[in-house]
Amino acid sequence: MRNYIVAPLTEEIVFRGCMVPPLLASGMSTLKVSLIAPLFFGIAHVHHAMTRISKGERVSSVVLITIFQFLYTSLFGSYVSYAFIRSGSIIAVTFSHSYCNWMGLPDL
């Protein structure tokens, strides 16, 4: 419930619905907004590092995992920011976010 409904909906409302329109209204281009706004989305996921450290994982491992997580959440944030700008639909990007959470990363 949390990973597939609550988190995607609240994150999309905050990070797309509340951050993207003011940036666009300030005169930023779609490209800049699609690249800058997601950085805050990536930063918002850094708190997972504290959970990993408290569970006893090595700090060096946690740093690498956190950097990777920041990069892929920022990349995904760029995609959904652009999709939100083009569609204007929080529901569409929420479903995209839920699907991404459900699929996870490829198991290489």
XYZ file of all heavy atoms in Angstrom:
843
model
N 0.836 -1.194 0.000
C 0.000 0.000 0.000
C 0.881 1.258 0.000
O 0.638 2.167 -0.788
C -0.904 -0.059 1.247
C -1.887 1.033 1.329
S -3.273 0.648 0.281
C -4.447 1.763 0.916
N 1.893 1.275 0.874
C 2.759 2.452 0.982
C 3.561 2.669 -0.300
O 3.624 3.785 -0.811
C 3.703 2.303 2.173
C 4.643 3.470 2.344
C 5.621 3.195 3.504
N 6.905 3.718 3.170
C 7.960 3.031 2.726
N 7.893 1.761 2.590
N 9.081 3.580 2.438
N 4.191 1.616 -0.819
C 5.075 1.745 -1.982
C 4.350 1.936 -3.303
O 4.925 2.478 -4.242
C 5.978 0.519 -2.100
C 7.013 0.471 -1.016
O 7.362 1.479 -0.425
N 7.497 -0.723 -0.728
N 3.104 1.467 -3.380
C 2.409 1.491 -4.666
C 1.297 2.525 -4.756
O 0.861 2.852 -5.858
C 1.836 0.102 -4.980
C 2.892 -0.974 -4.929
C 2.700 -2.121 -4.180
C 4.095 -0.832 -5.608
C 3.670 -3.100 -4.125
C 5.077 -1.804 -5.554
C 4.851 -2.944 -4.812
O 5.818 -3.910 -4.755
N 0.832 3.050 -3.614
C -0.257 4.023 -3.659
C 0.108 5.306 -2.911
O 0.142 6.386 -3.496
C -1.568 3.418 -3.093
C -2.006 2.239 -3.959
C -2.662 4.483 -3.034
C -3.116 1.416 -3.388
N 0.382 5.200 -1.632
C 0.578 6.393 -0.792
C 1.825 7.176 -1.195
O 1.753 8.383 -1.448
C 0.620 6.011 0.708
C 0.911 7.221 1.563
C -0.690 5.350 1.129
N 2.979 6.508 -1.254
C 4.225 7.221 -1.592
C 4.180 7.821 -2.995
O 4.486 9.010 -3.156
C 5.425 6.299 -1.426
N 3.781 7.055 -4.029
C 3.739 7.672 -5.354
C 2.787 8.875 -5.430
O 3.143 9.908 -5.997
C 3.257 6.546 -6.270
C 3.685 5.305 -5.582
C 3.538 5.607 -4.112
N 1.621 8.760 -4.832
C 0.666 9.868 -4.896
C 1.190 11.097 -4.163
O 1.193 12.204 -4.710
C -0.693 9.443 -4.324
C -1.777 10.515 -4.368
C -2.069 10.936 -5.800
C -3.041 10.006 -3.691
N 1.671 10.916 -2.937
C 2.141 12.081 -2.178
C 3.411 12.672 -2.801
O 3.547 13.900 -2.883
C 2.403 11.734 -0.699
O 3.317 10.639 -0.621
C 1.118 11.392 0.016
N 4.313 11.824 -3.274
C 5.530 12.346 -3.899
C 5.220 13.086 -5.192
O 5.815 14.128 -5.473
C 6.530 11.216 -4.155
C 7.159 10.697 -2.879
C 8.106 9.535 -3.098
O 8.277 9.072 -4.254
O 8.700 9.065 -2.104
N 4.297 12.591 -5.973
C 3.955 13.279 -7.223
C 3.229 14.600 -6.958
O 3.472 15.579 -7.648
C 3.133 12.378 -8.143
C 3.901 11.183 -8.665
C 5.251 11.534 -9.266
O 5.387 12.574 -9.939
O 6.204 10.758 -9.061
N 2.394 14.624 -5.953
C 1.732 15.888 -5.608
C 2.769 16.919 -5.174
O 2.753 18.065 -5.612
C 0.660 15.678 -4.515
C -0.540 14.940 -5.110
C 0.229 17.012 -3.910
C -1.561 14.471 -4.084
N 3.704 16.506 -4.311
C 4.718 17.439 -3.804
C 5.743 17.789 -4.879
O 5.985 18.964 -5.153
C 5.427 16.859 -2.557
C 6.633 17.699 -2.178
C 4.452 16.759 -1.393
N 6.359 16.780 -5.483
C 7.490 17.040 -6.361
C 7.095 17.443 -7.773
O 7.871 18.091 -8.461
C 8.439 15.840 -6.393
C 9.146 15.658 -5.090
C 8.755 14.668 -4.203
C 10.181 16.500 -4.722
C 9.398 14.504 -2.992
C 10.827 16.349 -3.505
C 10.434 15.355 -2.636
N 5.955 17.066 -8.244
C 5.511 17.518 -9.561
C 4.442 18.599 -9.436
O 4.586 19.682 -9.973
C 4.981 16.335 -10.380
C 5.917 15.830 -11.428
C 7.322 15.510 -11.010
N 7.451 14.264 -10.285
C 8.566 13.884 -9.684
N 9.645 14.619 -9.725
N 8.625 12.770 -9.023
N 3.395 18.324 -8.672
C 2.282 19.264 -8.576
C 2.615 20.575 -7.892
O 2.090 21.628 -8.258
N 3.499 20.539 -6.900
C 3.826 21.762 -6.146
C 5.138 22.414 -6.573
O 5.324 23.603 -6.330
C 3.897 21.452 -4.646
S 2.334 20.961 -3.929
N 6.039 21.681 -7.191
C 7.335 22.261 -7.557
C 7.425 22.672 -9.018
O 8.016 23.703 -9.329
C 8.469 21.282 -7.247
C 8.714 21.091 -5.772
S 10.104 20.014 -5.458
C 11.436 21.142 -5.773
N 6.875 21.885 -9.911
C 7.038 22.151 -11.341
C 6.302 23.417 -11.797
O 6.911 24.262 -12.459
C 6.640 20.909 -12.174
C 6.547 21.229 -13.645
C 7.650 19.783 -11.939
N 5.018 23.613 -11.459
C 4.337 24.820 -11.957
C 4.999 26.144 -11.553
O 5.146 27.029 -12.406
C 2.918 24.693 -11.388
C 2.721 23.223 -11.240
C 4.072 22.706 -10.806
N 5.443 26.327 -10.296
C 6.116 27.596 -9.973
C 7.418 27.805 -10.753
O 7.742 28.927 -11.128
C 6.404 27.490 -8.474
C 5.456 26.485 -7.952
C 5.222 25.528 -9.075
N 8.154 26.721 -11.000
C 9.386 26.851 -11.784
C 9.076 27.252 -13.215
O 9.770 28.091 -13.798
C 10.187 25.544 -11.751
C 10.811 25.177 -10.407
C 11.447 23.794 -10.468
C 11.846 26.202 -9.981
N 8.027 26.667 -13.782
C 7.627 27.050 -15.136
C 7.142 28.499 -15.166
O 7.459 29.250 -16.088
C 6.529 26.117 -15.653
C 6.963 24.714 -16.030
C 5.746 23.850 -16.327
C 7.906 24.730 -17.220
N 6.384 28.879 -14.141
C 5.861 30.252 -14.070
C 6.979 31.278 -13.911
O 6.825 32.434 -14.304
C 4.866 30.379 -12.925
N 8.113 30.861 -13.357
C 9.227 31.788 -13.173
C 9.961 32.057 -14.483
O 10.864 32.884 -14.520
C 10.211 31.239 -12.134
O 10.962 30.166 -12.683
N 9.586 31.346 -15.515
C 10.201 31.571 -16.819
C 11.234 30.533 -17.208
O 11.850 30.648 -18.260
N 11.433 29.519 -16.377
C 12.384 28.457 -16.723
C 11.840 27.649 -17.893
O 10.638 27.448 -18.013
C 12.595 27.506 -15.542
C 13.657 27.900 -14.606
S 13.959 26.499 -13.491
C 14.992 27.288 -12.319
N 12.746 27.153 -18.693
C 12.339 26.315 -19.818
C 11.920 24.937 -19.319
O 12.274 24.518 -18.209
C 13.497 26.160 -20.812
O 14.527 25.371 -20.249
N 11.185 24.229 -20.161
C 10.760 22.863 -19.839
C 11.969 21.978 -19.557
O 11.961 21.184 -18.625
C 9.941 22.277 -21.000
O 8.787 23.092 -21.195
C 9.507 20.863 -20.737
N 13.015 22.143 -20.358
C 14.218 21.337 -20.172
C 14.859 21.605 -18.812
O 15.191 20.666 -18.083
C 15.227 21.615 -21.287
C 16.551 20.862 -21.181
C 16.325 19.356 -21.273
C 17.513 21.332 -22.249
N 15.013 22.864 -18.440
C 15.622 23.196 -17.149
C 14.793 22.660 -15.993
O 15.331 22.104 -15.040
C 15.800 24.704 -16.995
C 17.012 25.247 -17.672
C 17.183 26.711 -17.327
C 18.398 27.288 -18.006
N 18.548 28.716 -17.735
N 13.482 22.830 -16.083
C 12.600 22.338 -15.018
C 12.705 20.824 -14.916
O 12.779 20.276 -13.816
C 11.137 22.779 -15.251
C 10.199 22.104 -14.262
C 11.014 24.292 -15.157
N 12.760 20.147 -16.063
C 12.851 18.684 -16.075
C 14.185 18.177 -15.549
O 14.307 17.006 -15.196
C 12.637 18.143 -17.492
O 11.333 18.412 -17.918
N 15.188 19.046 -15.496
C 16.494 18.641 -14.990
C 16.755 19.105 -13.563
O 17.466 18.434 -12.808
C 17.603 19.164 -15.907
C 17.623 18.575 -17.315
C 18.678 19.275 -18.160
C 17.848 17.083 -17.292
N 16.177 20.226 -13.158
C 16.439 20.786 -11.829
C 15.484 20.237 -10.766
O 15.921 19.808 -9.703
C 16.389 22.324 -11.869
C 17.583 22.838 -12.686
C 16.407 22.911 -10.462
C 17.552 24.314 -12.967
N 14.190 20.232 -11.031
C 13.207 19.774 -10.043
C 13.480 18.349 -9.553
O 13.354 18.076 -8.359
C 11.792 19.903 -10.596
N 13.880 17.423 -10.435
C 14.128 16.049 -9.975
C 15.286 15.903 -8.996
O 15.360 14.909 -8.282
C 14.419 15.288 -11.262
C 13.799 16.090 -12.322
C 13.903 17.503 -11.887
N 16.183 16.861 -8.954
C 17.285 16.765 -7.995
C 16.750 16.772 -6.569
O 17.278 16.072 -5.702
C 18.282 17.903 -8.207
C 18.993 17.894 -9.560
C 19.890 19.116 -9.692
C 19.774 16.613 -9.758
N 15.689 17.528 -6.325
C 15.068 17.544 -4.999
C 14.407 16.200 -4.703
O 14.414 15.728 -3.575
C 14.054 18.689 -4.887
C 14.688 20.035 -4.983
C 14.677 20.747 -6.170
C 15.320 20.598 -3.881
C 15.280 21.985 -6.269
C 15.929 21.836 -3.960
C 15.905 22.528 -5.162
N 13.844 15.579 -5.733
C 13.253 14.245 -5.603
C 14.340 13.237 -5.235
O 14.146 12.397 -4.362
C 12.570 13.872 -6.923
C 11.864 12.547 -6.912
C 10.767 12.333 -6.104
C 12.274 11.524 -7.742
C 10.094 11.114 -6.111
C 11.615 10.308 -7.764
C 10.522 10.110 -6.943
N 15.501 13.334 -5.876
C 16.617 12.453 -5.558
C 17.118 12.654 -4.142
O 17.370 11.697 -3.413
N 17.251 13.912 -3.748
C 17.717 14.225 -2.394
C 16.743 13.699 -1.340
O 17.159 13.243 -0.278
C 17.940 15.745 -2.240
C 19.163 16.169 -3.061
C 18.114 16.137 -0.780
C 19.314 17.668 -3.222
N 15.463 13.729 -1.660
C 14.448 13.268 -0.703
C 14.571 11.775 -0.408
O 14.032 11.302 0.595
C 13.051 13.571 -1.230
N 15.279 11.033 -1.233
C 15.440 9.596 -1.003
C 16.746 9.248 -0.289
O 17.011 8.078 -0.020
C 15.342 8.845 -2.335
C 13.959 8.830 -2.883
N 13.437 9.885 -3.601
C 12.972 7.909 -2.798
C 12.200 9.594 -3.944
N 11.885 8.405 -3.466
N 17.552 10.241 0.031
C 18.837 10.002 0.690
C 18.650 9.498 2.123
O 19.516 8.807 2.654
C 19.712 11.283 0.635
C 20.953 11.156 1.480
C 20.089 11.583 -0.814
N 17.495 9.756 2.721
C 17.267 9.310 4.103
C 17.337 7.785 4.253
O 17.555 7.281 5.344
C 15.921 9.821 4.618
C 14.753 9.108 4.017
N 14.251 9.435 2.784
C 14.011 8.081 4.482
C 13.237 8.635 2.503
N 13.069 7.798 3.517
N 17.197 7.075 3.153
C 17.300 5.615 3.224
C 18.688 5.181 3.689
O 18.853 4.082 4.226
C 16.978 4.976 1.872
C 15.554 5.153 1.452
N 14.509 4.534 2.104
C 15.000 5.881 0.452
C 13.372 4.873 1.518
N 13.642 5.689 0.515
N 19.688 6.033 3.500
C 21.049 5.713 3.946
C 21.091 5.534 5.457
O 21.777 4.630 5.961
C 22.013 6.820 3.513
N 20.378 6.368 6.185
C 20.378 6.258 7.651
C 19.786 4.918 8.097
O 20.278 4.322 9.050
C 19.602 7.420 8.274
C 20.228 8.769 7.953
S 21.968 8.784 8.310
C 21.953 9.557 9.873
N 18.755 4.477 7.400
C 18.153 3.180 7.722
C 19.163 2.068 7.514
O 19.297 1.172 8.350
C 16.909 2.940 6.841
O 16.015 4.030 6.999
C 16.222 1.644 7.204
N 19.874 2.125 6.410
C 20.875 1.096 6.112
C 21.999 1.094 7.153
O 22.440 0.040 7.586
C 21.451 1.308 4.719
C 20.464 1.035 3.615
C 21.115 1.302 2.254
N 20.198 1.102 1.169
C 19.862 -0.087 0.667
N 20.377 -1.179 1.176
N 19.021 -0.176 -0.337
N 22.464 2.285 7.521
C 23.533 2.381 8.522
C 23.060 1.848 9.869
O 23.777 1.127 10.558
C 24.058 3.835 8.622
C 24.847 4.182 7.360
C 24.917 4.014 9.862
C 25.232 5.632 7.229
N 21.809 2.189 10.247
C 21.285 1.715 11.535
C 21.100 0.195 11.563
O 21.090 -0.405 12.627
C 19.964 2.419 11.868
O 18.942 1.980 11.011
N 20.990 -0.414 10.383
C 20.879 -1.877 10.303
C 22.251 -2.552 10.296
O 22.338 -3.766 10.206
C 20.099 -2.278 9.053
C 18.627 -1.971 9.145
C 17.905 -2.430 7.900
C 16.419 -2.158 8.018
N 15.684 -2.590 6.824
N 23.318 -1.726 10.347
C 24.653 -2.283 10.460
C 25.400 -2.465 9.150
O 26.448 -3.100 9.128
N 24.888 -1.921 8.053
C 25.611 -2.045 6.792
C 26.857 -1.169 6.824
O 26.892 -0.148 7.512
C 24.703 -1.643 5.613
C 23.568 -2.609 5.379
C 22.755 -2.276 4.138
O 23.330 -1.797 3.145
O 21.532 -2.490 4.170
N 27.874 -1.564 6.082
C 29.122 -0.791 6.024
C 28.876 0.569 5.388
O 28.123 0.684 4.411
C 30.165 -1.521 5.195
C 30.737 -2.735 5.865
C 31.835 -3.328 5.057
N 31.564 -3.089 3.626
C 32.235 -3.621 2.638
N 33.222 -4.414 2.897
N 31.929 -3.385 1.387
N 29.497 1.595 5.925
C 29.306 2.963 5.443
C 29.730 3.096 3.980
O 29.039 3.739 3.190
C 30.058 3.977 6.340
C 29.994 5.373 5.760
C 29.494 3.962 7.751
N 30.829 2.464 3.599
C 31.284 2.563 2.209
C 30.250 1.974 1.248
O 29.991 2.526 0.182
C 32.625 1.866 2.027
O 32.526 0.501 2.378
N 29.636 0.871 1.636
C 28.584 0.257 0.834
C 27.355 1.152 0.773
O 26.750 1.330 -0.292
C 28.221 -1.102 1.431
O 27.136 -1.663 0.764
N 26.994 1.731 1.901
C 25.824 2.615 1.966
C 26.030 3.848 1.093
O 25.110 4.289 0.393
C 25.510 3.013 3.430
C 24.452 4.098 3.489
C 25.068 1.798 4.224
N 27.240 4.394 1.094
C 27.529 5.581 0.265
C 27.333 5.249 -1.206
O 26.686 6.003 -1.948
C 28.948 6.115 0.538
C 29.367 7.141 -0.502
C 29.031 6.713 1.932
N 27.859 4.118 -1.667
C 27.700 3.726 -3.070
C 26.239 3.495 -3.427
O 25.762 3.943 -4.473
C 28.521 2.474 -3.369
C 30.028 2.674 -3.427
C 30.734 1.334 -3.594
C 30.408 3.623 -4.548
N 25.522 2.805 -2.573
C 24.101 2.532 -2.815
C 23.314 3.845 -2.856
O 22.450 4.040 -3.714
C 23.534 1.586 -1.738
C 24.126 0.195 -1.914
C 22.010 1.542 -1.779
C 23.876 -0.738 -0.757
N 23.626 4.765 -1.948
C 22.909 6.040 -1.877
C 23.182 6.885 -3.115
O 22.259 7.512 -3.648
C 23.291 6.796 -0.593
O 22.970 5.965 0.526
C 22.554 8.109 -0.481
N 24.411 6.905 -3.582
C 24.729 7.651 -4.809
C 23.958 7.067 -5.985
O 23.356 7.803 -6.777
C 26.250 7.651 -5.079
C 26.955 8.526 -4.051
C 26.550 8.121 -6.502
C 28.467 8.396 -4.065
N 23.966 5.745 -6.104
C 23.220 5.092 -7.180
C 21.736 5.403 -7.079
O 21.091 5.738 -8.073
C 23.460 3.579 -7.156
C 22.734 2.855 -8.232
C 23.153 2.952 -9.547
C 21.622 2.082 -7.929
C 22.474 2.290 -10.557
C 20.939 1.417 -8.930
C 21.366 1.520 -10.251
N 21.181 5.325 -5.873
C 19.755 5.604 -5.684
C 19.437 7.061 -6.017
O 18.418 7.336 -6.638
C 19.330 5.274 -4.257
C 17.834 5.371 -4.062
C 17.403 4.894 -2.694
O 18.181 4.925 -1.741
N 16.172 4.452 -2.581
N 20.301 7.979 -5.628
C 20.103 9.388 -5.971
C 20.067 9.565 -7.491
O 19.214 10.278 -8.025
C 21.204 10.259 -5.365
C 21.175 11.676 -5.859
C 20.258 12.584 -5.347
C 22.043 12.099 -6.848
C 20.222 13.888 -5.819
C 22.013 13.388 -7.324
C 21.098 14.287 -6.811
N 20.990 8.900 -8.185
C 21.053 9.040 -9.643
C 19.812 8.487 -10.332
O 19.238 9.134 -11.203
C 22.320 8.372 -10.184
C 23.627 9.056 -9.800
C 24.812 8.217 -10.247
C 23.695 10.457 -10.376
N 19.380 7.276 -9.938
C 18.225 6.731 -10.643
C 16.916 7.402 -10.239
O 16.015 7.535 -11.067
C 18.163 5.203 -10.604
C 17.605 4.540 -9.374
C 16.248 4.538 -9.083
C 18.445 3.836 -8.513
C 15.757 3.887 -7.971
C 17.956 3.185 -7.407
C 16.616 3.219 -7.135
O 16.121 2.579 -6.029
N 16.779 7.873 -9.001
C 15.553 8.599 -8.656
C 15.527 9.961 -9.335
O 14.465 10.422 -9.752
C 15.372 8.759 -7.127
O 16.538 9.356 -6.567
C 15.071 7.439 -6.455
N 16.684 10.585 -9.502
C 16.735 11.861 -10.225
C 16.425 11.651 -11.707
O 15.715 12.449 -12.315
C 18.100 12.526 -10.068
O 18.320 12.880 -8.722
N 16.944 10.577 -12.277
C 16.657 10.268 -13.679
C 15.171 9.989 -13.877
O 14.536 10.517 -14.807
C 17.490 9.074 -14.142
C 17.327 8.655 -15.583
C 17.789 9.767 -16.516
C 18.108 7.381 -15.851
N 14.602 9.177 -12.995
C 13.165 8.918 -13.075
C 12.377 10.217 -12.860
O 11.387 10.469 -13.542
C 12.735 7.865 -12.040
C 11.253 7.631 -12.037
C 10.650 6.903 -13.041
C 10.463 8.165 -11.040
C 9.270 6.704 -13.054
C 9.086 7.975 -11.032
C 8.496 7.237 -12.048
N 12.837 11.048 -11.925
C 12.180 12.331 -11.676
C 12.182 13.225 -12.900
O 11.219 13.950 -13.157
N 13.253 13.182 -13.683
C 13.306 13.952 -14.932
C 12.238 13.466 -15.904
O 11.535 14.262 -16.527
C 14.678 13.831 -15.591
O 15.641 14.501 -14.856
N 12.136 12.158 -16.023
C 11.128 11.576 -16.915
C 9.715 11.994 -16.506
O 8.939 12.471 -17.334
C 11.246 10.053 -16.942
C 10.030 9.384 -17.506
C 9.749 9.473 -18.859
C 9.136 8.710 -16.690
C 8.606 8.892 -19.394
C 8.008 8.123 -17.207
C 7.739 8.221 -18.551
O 6.607 7.649 -19.062
N 9.369 11.813 -15.222
C 7.996 12.125 -14.821
C 7.745 13.628 -14.764
O 6.615 14.067 -14.961
C 7.575 11.427 -13.503
C 7.394 9.943 -13.717
C 8.496 11.711 -12.372
N 8.774 14.428 -14.527
C 8.591 15.884 -14.587
C 8.226 16.299 -16.007
O 7.298 17.077 -16.223
C 9.852 16.630 -14.146
O 10.074 16.454 -12.778
N 8.955 15.758 -16.966
C 8.652 16.063 -18.367
C 7.260 15.549 -18.741
O 6.487 16.247 -19.395
C 9.715 15.457 -19.285
C 9.488 15.798 -20.730
C 9.800 17.064 -21.216
C 8.955 14.867 -21.605
C 9.581 17.394 -22.538
C 8.731 15.179 -22.927
C 9.042 16.446 -23.393
O 8.811 16.766 -24.707
N 6.936 14.333 -18.298
C 5.611 13.770 -18.586
C 4.517 14.615 -17.949
O 3.461 14.833 -18.564
C 5.530 12.327 -18.085
N 4.758 15.114 -16.748
C 3.772 15.974 -16.087
C 3.601 17.291 -16.835
O 2.479 17.761 -17.038
C 4.170 16.251 -14.638
C 3.267 17.223 -13.942
C 1.954 16.881 -13.651
C 3.716 18.483 -13.596
C 1.103 17.787 -13.021
C 2.882 19.390 -12.963
C 1.571 19.039 -12.678
N 4.698 17.879 -17.276
C 4.615 19.129 -18.027
C 3.827 18.925 -19.313
O 2.982 19.744 -19.672
C 6.028 19.687 -18.328
C 6.698 20.149 -17.033
C 5.972 20.834 -19.339
C 8.188 20.429 -17.163
N 4.098 17.828 -19.998
C 3.414 17.554 -21.274
C 1.946 17.173 -21.085
O 1.099 17.590 -21.861
C 4.135 16.444 -22.032
C 5.532 16.795 -22.449
C 5.582 17.799 -23.541
N 4.931 17.232 -24.704
C 4.706 17.871 -25.813
N 5.089 19.103 -25.950
N 4.093 17.286 -26.815
N 1.653 16.383 -20.053
C 0.281 15.887 -19.880
C -0.556 16.750 -18.948
O -1.776 16.797 -19.084
C 0.294 14.452 -19.348
O 0.741 14.418 -18.002
N 0.099 17.373 -17.973
C -0.644 18.148 -16.974
C -1.412 17.271 -15.998
O -2.273 17.753 -15.268
N -1.097 15.984 -15.975
C -1.865 15.027 -15.173
C -1.038 14.417 -14.048
O -0.077 13.694 -14.303
C -2.396 13.913 -16.069
O -2.998 12.895 -15.295
N -1.437 14.715 -12.812
C -0.806 14.084 -11.653
C -1.134 12.591 -11.629
O -0.297 11.769 -11.270
C -1.278 14.755 -10.333
C -0.630 16.132 -10.183
C -0.988 13.900 -9.120
C 0.832 16.094 -9.839
N -2.344 12.237 -12.036
C -2.757 10.830 -12.019
C -1.874 10.000 -12.951
O -1.414 8.913 -12.571
C -4.249 10.684 -12.407
C -5.139 11.441 -11.426
C -4.658 9.223 -12.503
C -5.016 10.989 -9.985
N -1.584 10.502 -14.136
C -0.757 9.758 -15.092
C 0.640 9.508 -14.533
O 1.150 8.382 -14.603
C -0.670 10.511 -16.415
N 1.262 10.533 -13.955
C 2.614 10.331 -13.435
C 2.601 9.508 -12.149
O 3.570 8.806 -11.854
C 3.391 11.667 -13.265
C 3.635 12.307 -14.618
C 2.711 12.619 -12.328
N 1.500 9.548 -11.403
C 1.370 8.699 -10.213
C 1.317 7.231 -10.622
O 1.973 6.382 -10.007
C 0.130 9.079 -9.384
O 0.260 10.435 -8.955
C -0.034 8.181 -8.172
N 0.562 6.919 -11.670
C 0.526 5.540 -12.157
C 1.900 5.106 -12.668
O 2.335 3.974 -12.426
C -0.518 5.364 -13.258
C -1.918 5.190 -12.743
C -2.923 6.046 -13.135
C -2.227 4.170 -11.850
C -4.216 5.896 -12.650
C -3.511 4.007 -11.357
C -4.510 4.873 -11.767
N 2.595 6.000 -13.343
C 3.940 5.702 -13.821
C 4.876 5.423 -12.649
O 5.677 4.478 -12.676
C 4.457 6.870 -14.653
O 5.748 6.633 -15.103
N 4.780 6.222 -11.607
C 5.596 6.065 -10.398
C 5.266 4.731 -9.715
O 6.174 3.986 -9.313
C 5.316 7.237 -9.467
C 6.263 7.368 -8.327
N 6.572 8.580 -7.778
C 6.960 6.462 -7.602
C 7.420 8.408 -6.784
N 7.662 7.119 -6.652
N 4.000 4.423 -9.594
C 3.586 3.152 -8.982
C 4.123 1.966 -9.771
O 4.621 0.991 -9.195
C 2.061 3.055 -8.909
O 1.560 4.018 -8.040
N 4.039 2.058 -11.084
C 4.536 0.985 -11.944
C 6.043 0.817 -11.776
O 6.552 -0.302 -11.679
C 4.174 1.270 -13.401
C 4.621 0.187 -14.346
C 3.968 -1.048 -14.371
C 5.686 0.374 -15.202
C 4.377 -2.051 -15.219
C 6.104 -0.618 -16.056
C 5.445 -1.835 -16.071
O 5.855 -2.827 -16.926
N 6.755 1.924 -11.728
C 8.205 1.887 -11.529
C 8.556 1.233 -10.185
O 9.450 0.399 -10.110
C 8.777 3.302 -11.598
S 10.566 3.384 -11.410
N 7.831 1.593 -9.129
C 8.062 0.979 -7.823
C 7.766 -0.516 -7.852
O 8.454 -1.312 -7.229
C 7.218 1.657 -6.741
C 7.737 3.021 -6.353
O 8.757 3.476 -6.851
N 7.016 3.685 -5.476
N 6.724 -0.896 -8.564
C 6.324 -2.309 -8.651
C 7.380 -3.122 -9.414
O 7.760 -4.207 -8.991
C 4.964 -2.416 -9.322
C 4.489 -3.823 -9.487
C 4.243 -4.750 -8.514
C 4.201 -4.472 -10.724
N 3.810 -5.922 -9.060
C 3.768 -5.785 -10.433
C 4.231 -4.078 -12.055
C 3.405 -6.689 -11.408
C 3.865 -4.982 -13.026
C 3.455 -6.273 -12.694
N 7.867 -2.575 -10.523
C 8.842 -3.297 -11.356
C 10.230 -3.345 -10.694
O 10.928 -4.338 -10.809
C 8.984 -2.636 -12.727
C 7.756 -2.799 -13.594
S 7.324 -4.517 -13.901
C 8.676 -5.031 -14.919
N 10.619 -2.264 -10.018
C 11.951 -2.212 -9.415
C 13.025 -2.115 -10.473
O 12.758 -1.910 -11.648
N 14.252 -2.265 -10.041
C 15.369 -2.232 -10.971
C 15.545 -3.609 -11.588
O 15.225 -4.622 -10.983
C 16.645 -1.827 -10.245
C 16.708 -0.386 -9.766
C 17.946 -0.168 -8.921
C 16.690 0.573 -10.930
N 16.099 -3.661 -12.810
C 16.358 -4.964 -13.428
C 17.341 -5.765 -12.577
O 18.266 -5.211 -11.987
C 17.002 -4.607 -14.773
C 16.663 -3.175 -15.017
C 16.451 -2.540 -13.682
N 17.119 -7.048 -12.498
C 17.990 -7.940 -11.744
C 19.103 -8.413 -12.676
O 18.937 -9.374 -13.419
C 17.178 -9.124 -11.211
C 17.950 -9.948 -10.216
O 18.993 -9.482 -9.731
O 17.476 -11.062 -9.919
N 20.210 -7.670 -12.660
C 21.297 -7.986 -13.594
C 22.114 -9.128 -13.081
O 22.978 -9.231 -12.490
C 22.139 -6.731 -13.858
C 21.357 -5.560 -14.415
C 22.229 -4.319 -14.484
C 20.813 -5.900 -15.789
